[in-house]
Amino acid sequence: QQQVKQSPQSLIVQKGGISIINCAYENTAFDYFPWYQQFPGKGPALLIAIRPDVSEKKEGRFTISFNKSAKQFSLHIMDSQPGDSATYFCAASRPRGGSNYKLTFGKGTLLTVNP
Amino acid sequence: NAGVTQTPKFQVLKTGQSMTLQCAQDMNHEYMSWYRQDPGMGLRLIHYSVGAGITDQGEVPNGYNVSRSTTEDFPLRLLSAAPSQTSVYFCASRRAGGQPQHFGDGTRLSIL
C-alpha cells in the first residue's frame, strides 16, 4: 500500500514558469509534510516543510499548499530556474511521540527547467 | 562539520559476496536510517536505529543486517548479495523528536 502518492513522475517547465508537484496521502495520522530536493549524485536535502495546522507556507520562490480535508499537498516553484532542475520528493511522517516516527516518501518527480 | 559520510561511493559485487556499507555522522544525532533508492520507487526504508544498541526493521529489511554500537556509526551489511540489491543506498540521521533528516551522498552498488 502506497501511503504517499506523488505526481507527475516528470515535469518540463520553461525558465520563469511555475512548477507544480502534487502529493496525496492516506493516513490521517501524518502530521509533518516535508519536500526534499535531490541533485544528481547527491543525497536528498530538505527544501521546505509544513504541518497541518496551516494551509500554506512560503520560503522564497517555494510554496507548499496544504489541503487537510482532501489529504493533499503540493509544491509550487515560482519563476522556475534551470538550477531548480532536480528530483523532488514529498514525504510524510507520524507524530513525533509515536513509535512510527519515520518518513514515508513519494516516488519522486524529475523536474527539468529549460533555459 | 562533515555531516553524514558514506563509504564507499561506488562498489561492484558478485552474487553471493558479502560487504558492509559504512555510515558515520558527526552531529550527535540519536536517530539513523538506511534507505535504498531505485528508479521510480522513491526512497524505501531498510533499517533504522533510535540510539546506540537499538535497531528495528523498516519497509524492506530482507537480506540486510545492521548494528549500532556507537552514536556515530551505523553500518549496513549485505549478507549474500543478490542482483535485486543493486541500488543506491542512502544513510540519514536526525536528532530525536525533530526534523529534518540529513542524508549522505549515497553508495552506488551494483551486483553482477
Side-chain angles (χ1 to χ4, degrees):
Chain A
Q1 180 186 14
Q2 185 184 354
Q3 295 195 58
V4 179
K5 294 184 179 180
Q6 183 172 346
S7 62
Q9 281 188 314
S10 62
L11 180 62
I12 300 174
V13 175
Q14 293 298 118
K15 179 182 177 181
I18 302 173
S19 304
I20 302 175
I21 305 171
N22 300 300
C23 282
Y25 64 97
E26 299 171 357
N27 190 337
T28 55
F30 287 145
D31 79 337
Y32 175 74
F33 302 90
W35 284 90
Y36 280 78
Q37 180 187 54
Q38 183 182 30
F39 293 107
K42 296 295 185 180
L46 179 68
L47 182 63
I48 187 172
I50 197 169
R51 294 199 181 272
D53 52 343
V54 296
S55 60
E56 185 176 281
K57 183 175 182 179
K58 183 176 181 179
E59 291 184 359
R61 295 184 295 108
F62 301 91
T63 300
I64 298 179
S65 297
F66 186 83
N67 186 330
K68 188 174 182 178
S69 61
K71 294 188 286 186
Q72 295 175 347
F73 58 110
S74 60
L75 175 69
H76 296 239
I77 306 175
M78 310 299 289
D79 187 27
S80 298
Q81 299 297 312
D84 297 331
S85 297
T87 300
Y88 293 81
F89 294 96
C90 63
S93 74
R94 300 184 194 185
R96 62 183 67 190
S99 60
N100 289 317
Y101 187 41
K102 302 184 292 289
L103 282 176
T104 299
F105 285 87
K107 293 187 175 183
T109 296
L110 177 62
L111 172 66
T112 302
V113 181
N114 288 328
Chain B
N1 198 348
V4 178
T5 302
Q6 292 184 238
T7 57
K9 295 189 184 303
F10 303 93
Q11 184 70 47
V12 178
L13 291 179
K14 295 182 179 179
T15 297
Q17 287 184 315
S18 63
M19 82 160 293
T20 299
L21 309 185
Q22 301 292 343
C23 176
Q25 53 96 4
D26 62 359
M27 297 172 284
N28 203 31
H29 285 169
E30 294 88 350
Y31 284 40
M32 296 186 75
S33 306
W34 276 103
Y35 295 85
R36 60 178 289 173
Q37 183 177 23
D38 302 291
M41 298 296 292
L43 290 140
R44 293 182 291 170
L45 183 65
I46 304 171
H47 285 285
Y48 66 100
S49 169
V50 299
I54 305 171
T55 64
D56 204 349
Q57 296 181 350
E59 181 184 355
V60 288
N62 292 340
Y64 307 95
N65 271 0
V66 292
S67 60
R68 183 102 178 268
S69 57
T70 67
T71 299
E72 295 78 19
D73 300 297
F74 190 42
L76 178 72
R77 298 181 187 85
L78 279 70
L79 307 175
S80 177
S84 61
Q85 294 177 305
T86 293
S87 187
V88 182
Y89 292 85
F90 288 99
C91 179
S93 74
R94 64 174 174 85
R95 59 181 176 86
Q99 296 284 356
Q101 291 205 73
H102 297 262
F103 285 83
D105 284 340
T107 293
R108 284 144 187 83
L109 182 62
S110 293
I111 300 166
L112 307 177

